[in-house]
């Protein structure tokens, strides 16, 4: 019984802090932000990806490989370090999916369109171990 109560408390704390892994990412893109900027998924899960670009210019959502950062500017040398990416045309919405990385850790998310990362268009994907 005590163990059950403890488990319930942990689950409550996790959900109230927004630290629960999701299998669906929903993101809005503006000039020059992702909203939200933090995403939590479980390793190896299929993640439904739904993005809306409310801007008049194109944006993309780029997940860098574990331990790789695009640095202050996304350049040609960063292309090899991309885990997954998708583009969203101005004013468009897309629905697609990707498989979360199998290695837990913090993954950098950026927009690779020239100038956008410098303008602050970045986020974080947290991959937690699947239970
Ligand atoms: Cu952008």
């Amino acid at each position: 019984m005590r163990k059950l109560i403890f488990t319930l408390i942990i689950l409550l704390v996790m959900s109230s802090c927004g630290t629960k892994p999701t299998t669906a990412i929903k993101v809005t893109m503006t000039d020059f932000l992702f909203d939200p900027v933090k995403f939590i998924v479980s390793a190896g899960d299929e993640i439904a990806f739904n993005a809306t670009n409310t801007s008049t210019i194109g944006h993309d959502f780029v997940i860098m490989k574990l331990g790789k950062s695009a640095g202050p500017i996304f350049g040609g040398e960063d292309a090899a370090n991309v885990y997954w990416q998708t583009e969203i045309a101005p004013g468009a919405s897309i629905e697609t999916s990707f498989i979360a990385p199998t290695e837990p850790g913090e993954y950098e998310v950026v927009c690779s369109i020239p100038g956008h990362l410098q303008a602050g268009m970045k986020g974080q994907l947290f991959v937690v171990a699947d239970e």
Side-chain angles (χ1 to χ4, degrees):
M1 189 62 184
R2 278 179 68 171
K3 197 178 171 191
L4 176 68
I5 290 168
F6 180 74
T7 303
L8 287 174
I9 288 170
I10 291 292
L11 286 174
L12 191 70
V13 168
M14 279 177 76
S15 60
S16 64
C17 296
T19 55
K20 229 176 135 196
T22 179
T23 54
I25 284 178
K26 198 173 184 338
V27 59
T28 301
M29 297 171 178
T30 60
D31 302 337
F32 295 92
L33 290 170
F34 294 118
D35 180 27
V37 294
K38 287 184 182 177
F39 311 94
I40 305 168
V41 297
S42 288
D45 271 8
E46 180 173 9
I47 309 300
F49 184 86
N50 181 309
T52 300
N53 180 357
T54 60
S55 165
T56 54
I57 52 175
H59 291 295
D60 64 10
F61 188 94
V62 178
I63 301 170
M64 302 300 291
K65 289 178 182 170
L66 186 61
K68 302 292 182 185
S69 171
I73 296 173
F74 191 97
E77 75 282 4
D78 295 310
N81 296 327
V82 169
Y83 173 77
W84 183 78
Q85 84 181 91
T86 190
E87 282 183 42
I88 301 93
S93 289
I94 61 156
E95 265 186 68
T96 181
S97 67
F98 68 96
I99 303 295
T102 53
E103 230 180 318
E106 184 184 326
Y107 292 71
E108 186 175 87
V109 172
V110 301
C111 177
S112 75
I113 310 294
H116 294 197
L117 174 55
Q118 295 96 303
M121 207 162 176
K122 65 187 292 186
Q124 292 157 295
L125 175 75
F126 295 94
V127 176
V128 298
D130 210 0
E131 287 166 16

